[in-house]
Amino acid sequence: MMKNTEQENYFISFEEGASMTQRYRDSMQPSQIKGGFISKEDLIALLNQNDCNGIRVYFGLNENNGQELVFAAVNDFGNDIIGENKLCIGNMSKCPPNCGASNILNS
């Protein structure tokens, strides 16, 4: 398989982020989440896995059909790093109710 050489700049302005989150909030159902929180320690642990060069995010539903994001480490070839003793993040702290102070991204 060909080595993943993607070197994109994925950063956006907060104004762009605010426009995207506003469009989402305008279309969401009352039961949907706006976002979630993952600790720095968990993200660092995911990124510090052998051969990790990034993270892939999947949209998912939990056993109660609630929205979830699932984070997997990705290797140099663009493949998810999956297996025994590997880390995967999901079940983040949901917003609402844990949204933090109102700002341009969440209100």
Side-chain angles (χ1 to χ4, degrees), residues 4 6 22 30 32 40 42 56-57 74 81 83 85 94:
N4 182 9
E6 237 180 85
Q22 182 65 57
Q32 289 181 291
K40 176 181 177 177
D42 287 348
R56 179 167 288 117
V57 180
V74 175
I81 300 173
N85 300 317
K94 307 289 186 297

Side-chain angles (χ1 to χ4, degrees), residues 2 6 35 55 58 60 62 66 90 106:
M2 187 177 220
E6 237 180 85
I55 294 175
Y58 291 98
N62 62 28
N106 70 14

